[in-house]
Amino acid sequence: MLPPAPMSATTAGGFLLVLSIVLPVAGVLLAFALGDRYVRLVAFTIMPLGLAIAAALVLALPRGGGHLVYLLGAWPPPLGVALHADGLSAVMIAATAVVIPAVAVYAAPEFRPAAAARAPAAFWMLLLAIWGALNAIFVGGDLFTLYVALELLTFATVPLVSLDGRAETLQAALRYLLFALLGSVLYLAGTALLYGLYGALDIVLLSRRADAQLGTLIAAALMTTGLLAKTALFPLHLWLPPAHAGAPAAASAILSGLVVKGSLFIVIRLWFDVMRGLPGFAAAHVLGALGATAIIFGSVVALRQERLKLLIAYSTLAQIGYLFLMFPLAFDVSGDLKRGGALAGGVLQAISHATAKAAMFMAAGSIYAGLGHDRITGLNGVARAQPLSVLTFALGGVALMGVPPSGASLAKDLLLQAAAETEQWWWTILLQAGGVLTAAYVVLVLAHALAPPDKPIALRGAVPRICDLAALVLALCSLLLGLMPWASYLPIPQGGMSNPLGIDALSKLLLPVLGGTVLAILLSPWPHPLALNAVERMIAPLRRACLGFGRLVEAVDDVLRQWPAASMSLLLVALLLGTLMFAGA
């Protein structure tokens, strides 16, 4: 957690916070100065150094009393700007430092320097810029610094989505940019309100000064809504599926695994630090309800996708919803917001999603490169032709289901424990359903990949082994995250970490897989090898009803991804959050 009072001096090891931002930015400038020919070399020189800085920060944090501070210009807040790092910052910086080099290794064969192409040079500079912007978000100590870092993240991500220059990808990038800018306007308006009320934007100072007056509640509602738009929480997911549809696999891995975590991290800072004493109980349940809807909505639409990449994109929408269940669960029975197991579970789920989803997008990219398409019904036999890619997808999916010893399993246990302690049993149902719904689209893809092909598969080109290995490493990281000593950095309650290799691990795998198989049969409209003809005839009426429900959900999704509906949803979410906070006060 952040220090209880503003620090008057830089702490030992505080310079690591500056290095974590300066190093990627210096890499961008150096690559620009040296030219396209050396840009990839610069990136691969910077990345081991960035990983070393992240490791040093993780090791230095316990010795610094759980927080590190660096005062820019030696001026303490509110006159100066401070960089802060606590356990949440450390684990997010470490996760970013693992995912970005893995994606870089995967992307290296595709984005080789070429005399006639600017996309490779742009990719490597944008990748470093995203890394620097994310680190600035994770260590930013005041709300305006976070705004600047968030905008840098947006402007680095937009061109990454449209690297190929095709009309549809440019349209998707512009859609992302415009909606993200709407979110930025709301966030900046809230920041200006807080500065006018309290004369400070430092998070620690605001946590001590902010009270439940009308201006503060309006600012909190505006800032939260703006950040939800950038995170693509349902129903504010206008930009997410189109951005993934045509982006390179490496760009999708970064966008889904890391970029949406930047705005999520600021939401966590806003609620658990600045707004900790404000009346947010009812508003937090709205966030939880939106998250629960996203889990069901995203999973159903994912099961109806014809393309593997779009299936994973809608899976991201569902998993983002899973992250927001931490907010209502963080309130205890007396209505006070606590930095306990719910917060730890939400952050662990975010890290697990970052590694697993990046690996799944990379695996999908390898399958597309090998087959020349990613149609799910055309994947029959790909497990034999591209075993490492399919294994990576499977391990990433199993990790997201919450099977021990994955990080998602530990996160789920912490959230379930929080639900029991706060007597909010209804969230338990959603937490358990989340694993089953995740298993449904993972089982659907694997059923096709493992089925015998109708005709021999002729790969369009050989996928470099290093690409598959980079993706596999990330999937294994997600699957083994539950074995890490998280209690040193996250507020995990006593007894919150169960044995990740216990006897219940088998049941945590079998039950979601069995339930997911049933859902895949009922909700997927495409012919698949999961059901025998006799079984299909028996469940035909139920399947027709489920398919009708799926068509309805997909039609709602088509409406919500239109500008009028998305803009109205943005306004309604802001009004609802502000009204509930005001009523609570």
Side-chain angles (χ1 to χ4, degrees):
M1 103 174 13
L2 292 176
M7 302 295 293
S8 58
T10 296
T11 60
F15 69 95
L16 293 170
L17 308 182
V18 178
L19 287 179
S20 67
I21 302 172
V22 169
L23 184 68
V25 174
V28 174
L29 297 176
L30 183 60
F32 186 78
L34 293 179
D36 298 356
R37 185 176 178 183
Y38 298 99
V39 63
R40 188 172 66 161
L41 177 61
V42 171
F44 277 102
T45 302
I46 292 293
M47 286 176 187
L49 299 176
L51 186 58
I53 290 172
L57 194 151
V58 169
L59 294 175
L61 195 70
R63 293 197 297 268
H67 58 83
L68 299 175
V69 177
Y70 187 89
L71 302 181
L72 299 178
W75 288 90
L79 296 177
V81 174
L83 302 179
H84 294 277
D86 58 359
L88 304 183
S89 306
V91 296
M92 294 304 294
I93 287 174
T96 303
V98 170
V99 172
I100 284 185
V103 173
V105 171
Y106 172 87
E110 179 180 0
F111 293 100
R112 293 189 296 268
R118 299 304 303 271
F123 173 82
W124 296 110
M125 286 191 280
L126 292 171
L127 190 63
L128 291 176
I130 287 172
W131 195 356
L134 283 169
N135 283 350
I137 288 173
F138 298 145
V139 303
D142 71 88
L143 296 179
F144 188 74
T145 300
L146 294 177
Y147 166 76
V148 173
L150 194 59
E151 291 311 284
L152 291 174
L153 180 64
T154 299
F155 286 112
T157 306
V158 167
L160 197 66
V161 171
S162 57
L163 276 178
D164 62 4
R166 292 183 292 118
E168 54 267 33
T169 57
L170 289 172
Q171 184 180 15
L174 285 174
R175 174 182 289 241
Y176 171 37
L177 175 63
L178 292 175
F179 203 65
L181 288 178
L182 283 177
S184 299
V185 169
L186 295 180
Y187 179 87
L188 190 59
T191 302
L193 270 175
L194 291 179
Y195 187 75
L197 290 171
Y198 303 108
L201 291 175
D202 183 77
I203 292 174
V204 178
L205 285 175
L206 284 175
S207 68
R208 301 168 65 198
R209 297 181 183 179
D211 53 15
Q213 58 180 295
L214 179 61
T216 306
L217 301 179
I218 293 175
L222 290 175
M223 295 172 75
T224 301
T225 305
L227 293 168
L228 298 186
K230 287 179 173 288
T231 312
L233 177 65
F234 175 90
L236 308 178
H237 63 287
L238 164 83
W239 59 268
L240 185 66
H244 282 298
S252 291
I254 293 295
L255 179 62
S256 177
L258 295 178
V259 171
V260 296
K261 306 303 188 303
S263 48
L264 171 69
F265 187 85
I266 301 178
V267 177
I268 293 173
R269 280 281 184 248
L270 188 65
W271 278 72
F272 287 90
D273 291 314
V274 178
M275 292 174 49
R276 190 167 47 194
L278 299 185
F281 180 78
H285 277 73
V286 170
L287 295 183
L290 293 178
T293 308
I295 293 173
I296 299 172
F297 187 94
S299 299
V300 171
V301 180
L303 286 167
R304 295 184 59 82
Q305 296 306 303
E306 185 177 2
R307 290 183 54 198
L308 178 59
K309 201 173 183 187
L310 280 175
L311 180 147
I312 303 174
Y314 277 100
S315 163
T316 297
L317 175 63
Q319 295 294 325
I320 287 172
Y322 212 91
L323 300 175
F324 280 86
L325 298 185
M326 75 172 116
F327 290 95
L329 293 174
F331 284 87
D332 60 18
V333 291
S334 62
D336 295 327
L337 185 65
K338 301 295 184 184
R339 293 176 62 103
L343 174 59
V347 173
L348 269 174
Q349 181 66 26
I351 296 171
S352 301
H353 178 264
T355 49
K357 194 52 65 73
M360 294 170 77
F361 268 115
M362 291 154 70
S366 294
I367 291 173
Y368 184 91
L371 297 181
H373 70 84
D374 63 347
R375 295 188 307 276
I376 295 174
T377 53
L379 295 182
N380 291 19
V382 74
R384 176 169 295 187
Q386 295 180 268
L388 276 182
S389 299
V390 175
L391 176 62
T392 298
F393 181 89
L395 291 178
V398 167
L400 286 179
M401 289 180 206
V403 176
S406 69
S409 173
L410 177 56
K412 185 176 178 180
D413 289 344
L414 290 170
L415 293 171
L416 288 172
Q417 181 180 340
E421 291 175 352
T422 58
E423 301 176 1
Q424 300 181 56
W425 56 267
W426 50 93
W427 300 120
T428 301
I429 300 174
L430 264 298
L431 289 167
Q432 298 291 4
V436 176
L437 289 166
T438 302
Y441 45 77
V442 173
V443 167
L444 175 67
V445 173
L446 293 180
H448 282 285
L450 295 172
D454 298 329
K455 58 182 179 180
I457 294 180
L459 294 180
R460 190 176 64 172
V463 178
R465 183 62 58 91
I466 190 66
C467 297
D468 285 331
L469 291 177
L472 183 60
V473 166
L474 280 185
L476 289 173
C477 283
S478 186
L479 195 60
L480 301 175
L481 279 176
L483 303 177
M484 300 295 290
W486 297 108
S488 300
Y489 302 95
L490 299 177
I492 295 178
Q494 190 70 23
M497 298 181 69
S498 59
N499 181 10
L501 299 175
I503 192 67
D504 61 340
L506 184 61
S507 64
K508 288 185 176 180
L509 173 62
L510 291 180
L511 293 179
V513 168
L514 292 176
T517 301
V518 174
L519 288 180
I521 294 172
L522 293 176
L523 289 170
S524 174
W526 316 111
H528 49 74
L530 285 172
L532 301 174
N533 290 334
V535 176
E536 287 185 314
R537 286 194 296 270
M538 291 174 57
I539 63 172
L542 179 59
R543 187 165 187 265
R544 281 196 296 270
C546 291
L547 291 178
F549 172 71
R551 285 192 295 270
L552 176 62
V553 171
E554 200 168 26
V556 172
D557 175 64
D558 290 338
V559 172
L560 290 176
R561 288 193 294 106
Q562 302 299 318
W563 276 104
S567 303
M568 187 62 67
S569 297
L570 193 70
L571 178 62
L572 290 176
V573 170
L575 288 175
L576 183 59
L577 291 178
T579 302
L580 291 176
M581 288 183 183
F582 179 74

